[in-house]
Every structure is written in structure tokens, then in C-alpha cells.
Amino acid sequence: MRTANTHKNMARCAATATLACGLGLGLAAPAYADTASDLAAARTKLEQIGTQTQQIYDELATQTQALDQTAGEITQKQQEIADGQAKLSTYVAGEYKTGGLSLLQVLTGVDDLSDMLNRLFYYGKVSDKQAQTIQEVKELKQQLTDKQAEQEKNVATTQKKVDELNAQQAEAQNVVNSLDSQLQAELAAEAEANAALQAGINASTAEKATVSNETAGTTENTNNGGQTSNNNQGGNTPAPTPAPAPTPQPSTPAPAPTPSAPSQSVDGGSVVSRAYSKLGYAYSWGGIGPNSFDCSGFVSYCLTGRYCRLGTTVDFMGWTRVSDPQPGDVVVNSYHTGIYIGNGQMIHASDYKTGVIISSVAAGMNNNYIFVRY
């Protein structure tokens, strides 16, 4: 009866241990990797829009300055135009008084200054020099007017671009704020879930230890009972015959233990080589290889060359920090990690969409990251 109960306990312990193993993988895998990746992409997009907006603002300022300059030129030349018109009026009046020009002839049907000038040219009543001056005034006025109209059109077009970029910037900021709130909520939920999972694993470990003690006690009782049934024939059980003493052997001094290399001494070149060897491999939640990884599983493989898990991102953040990161060091924050390869770049198991990739540290980690050495 006792043996049967022990077997049941052992089966229950095995099942619990299997569950604990699965839960242990969950502790190391960032369930919020997609949200963090989306947030990093949204912030990158926001920065791009900000850069474009600044460029458009600079362009608008340049165009507005040119338009103001043209308006000043128009104001300056307006007086010259007025002076030319006054001289022309004086000339026409003088011609009329001397009888050399019929004012009625010239002004009949005149609608504007241009029409009057054309009629004067037609009647040949102005000299070549006067005609040239009048023509230059006409052309200057028209050029400035056309220039001003074109500049006003450019300013209006640029202002429209500014308004569109401002709207895009506001929309992108809303996306960033929303994803940031979502990430914070997922981090809180992940921390709560991890606490519950760790409690389950601790309980499983304690139960396994209890079952092991029960199993040892049952085995001892079973062996003693068998001895009684074989030797007990109505009398007392004879004491077991003592085993002969072993023949003493010449003592040989034990060899001195070989010192092992420090567990936290790795070759950066090997780490980076292993990281490059897995480029393009798939991302999987809780993956430690060989064909798919999550972020901490990937870093663990690169550091050790074994398909194992050294810990979670929280564990990595407790390692020795470095201010001069070298290729092979680890870049990490509370929810993501990767292998630094130099020049501001890293290789990491990003998300389900991209798998193991190379990216800049700033894009891959978003913010609040540190460099540590294993």
C-alpha cells in the first residue's frame, strides 16, 4: 500500500516538474517583444517626421524672406514708376499746349496707362530714349508682379506641407503614447505573472524533495521486510555475518585539482561569430535554439556556445556594467537584450516578424539600455 502511494506521488511530482520546466521558459521570454518593437518603430517614425518638419520650416522661412524682399523691391520701384508716369504726363501736357499733340487723339478710348503708352508709340510722339524708359518701367513692374505671385504660390504650397507634417507628427505622437502605455501595462502584467510562476516552481521543487524522501524510506522498509520473510522460521532472526575487512591498499596521494577557467571569461570574437552564424533564424517565445530563439536564449547561446539559458534580462542587468563596450558584450534593458558587435550595432532575436537581425542599438533597444560583460 505504501509503495503504491509512493508511485502516485512520484508521478504527480514528475508532472509538476515538467510544468515547472515549461514555466521556467516563460520566465525568460519577453511576451511583450512585439509591443516593444512596435514602440521603437513608432518613435523612429516620429523622429523622421520631426526632421522633415524642421526642414520644411527652414524652407518656409527662406521663401517668406524672399517674398518680403520682393515686396520691398516693389515698394522701392513703385516710386520710380510714379516718377515716370509724372514725366510722361508733363510731356503730354506740354505737347497739347503747343499744339504738337491732340490730347483727344491720344486719350480717346484709353482705359489704362499701358493703353495710353501704346497709343503714344503709335503716334510717334515720344523719342527713342523716352520710349525706352517707359518700356523699362512697364517691364520692371510686370516682372516684380509675376515674381511676387510665384513666391506667394510657393509659400502657400510650403505652408500646406507644414500643416500636413504637423498633423502626421500629432498622429505619430499619439501612437507612441498609446504603445508606451500598452508596454508599461504588459510589463506590469509580466512581472505579476512571473511572481506567480516562480511561486509555482518553488512549490514544485519542495514537493519533489518530499517525494524523494518518501521514496527512500519506502525502499528501506521493503528491503528489511524481505529479509525477515526469508530467515524467520519461528525463531529469532540471526544477525548478519560480518563482511571480511578489506585488504589495506598503499595510499596514493590524490592529484591536485586543476584550476578551472573563470565562468565569466569569454572571447568576444567567438561570441560575435556565433551571433553572426544565427542571422536570419526564427524568433520563438522561450526558444533557446538550435533553430529558433527568444532574446535571452539567443544571448545565452552566443556567450556559451550551448543551447541553454543563462537567465532573464533582469538577471543580465545585474552583471558587471561597462562604459566602453566591446564586441561580444551584452546590451540589455528590462525587456530586451542582444550582442553588441561594435559601431553602435547589435545582433538580437527581435520579434516574430524579423527573427535574428542586425540593427542599431538605439533602434533595437529603444531607451534605458546598459552594456554589461559576462
Side-chain angles (χ1 to χ4, degrees), residues 97-283:
K97 290 179 181 179
T98 59
L101 178 66
S102 171
L103 187 61
L104 180 62
Q105 242 182 335
V106 175
L107 299 181
T108 299
V110 170
D111 294 325
D112 55 25
L113 175 62
S114 296
D115 193 12
M116 183 176 73
L117 292 175
N118 290 334
R119 286 170 182 268
L120 288 172
F121 290 142
Y122 178 76
Y123 284 107
K125 296 300 181 180
V126 287
S127 66
D128 291 341
K129 184 176 181 180
Q130 289 171 325
Q132 181 179 357
T133 301
I134 294 170
Q135 186 63 30
E136 287 175 354
V137 169
K138 288 176 59 181
E139 290 176 354
L140 176 61
K141 182 178 180 181
Q142 186 61 46
Q143 289 173 3
L144 289 174
T145 301
D146 293 344
K147 183 178 180 180
Q148 185 180 39
E150 182 66 23
Q151 288 177 334
E152 288 175 348
K153 180 180 177 181
N154 291 340
V155 168
T157 300
T158 304
Q159 183 62 54
K160 183 178 180 181
K161 293 180 181 178
V162 169
D163 295 339
E164 291 175 351
L165 283 172
N166 284 337
Q168 292 178 20
Q169 191 172 32
E171 182 179 356
Q173 185 64 59
N174 289 336
V175 172
V176 168
N177 293 341
S178 176
L179 286 173
D180 189 58
S181 298
Q182 181 179 347
L183 179 60
Q184 294 302 324
E186 290 182 3
L187 284 172
E190 187 77 7
E192 183 178 353
N194 282 349
L197 291 173
Q198 189 61 58
I201 292 173
N202 293 341
S204 173
T205 303
E207 183 177 3
K208 184 177 180 180
T210 300
V211 171
S212 297
N213 292 337
E214 292 178 355
T215 303
T218 301
T219 302
E220 181 180 356
N221 291 338
T222 302
N223 290 337
N224 290 338
Q227 184 179 19
T228 301
S229 61
N230 290 334
N231 296 287
N232 188 6
Q233 298 179 356
N236 295 330
T237 302
T241 303
T247 304
Q249 300 292 330
S251 61
T252 303
T258 303
S260 59
S263 62
Q264 294 187 347
S265 176
V266 297
D267 175 40
S270 299
V271 173
V272 172
S273 296
R274 284 192 285 266
Y276 270 103
S277 72
K278 294 300 181 180
L279 280 175
Y281 277 58
Y283 175 93

Side-chain angles (χ1 to χ4, degrees), residues 61-84:
T62 300
Q63 292 177 349
T64 302
Q65 183 179 3
L67 181 60
D68 291 341
Q69 183 177 352
T70 300
E73 293 176 1
I74 290 177
T75 301
Q76 180 181 354
K77 297 300 180 183
Q78 192 66 39
Q79 186 61 44
E80 297 180 18
I81 294 173
D83 292 344

Side-chain angles (χ1 to χ4, degrees), residues 271-335:
V271 173
V272 172
S273 296
R274 284 192 285 266
Y276 270 103
S277 72
K278 294 300 181 180
L279 280 175
Y281 277 58
Y283 175 93
S284 67
W285 189 84
I288 58 172
N291 298 319
S292 62
F293 301 87
D294 63 11
C295 65
S296 57
F298 173 73
V299 168
S300 298
Y301 164 73
C302 293
L303 293 175
T304 65
R306 294 178 287 109
Y307 299 116
C308 64
R309 185 178 302 280
L310 293 175
T312 67
T313 54
V314 175
D315 297 322
F316 297 169
M317 291 182 70
W319 292 354
T320 303
R321 297 191 184 190
V322 293
S323 58
D324 57 338
Q326 302 297 316
D329 286 338
V330 177
V331 56
V332 63
N333 60 19
S334 61
Y335 60 84

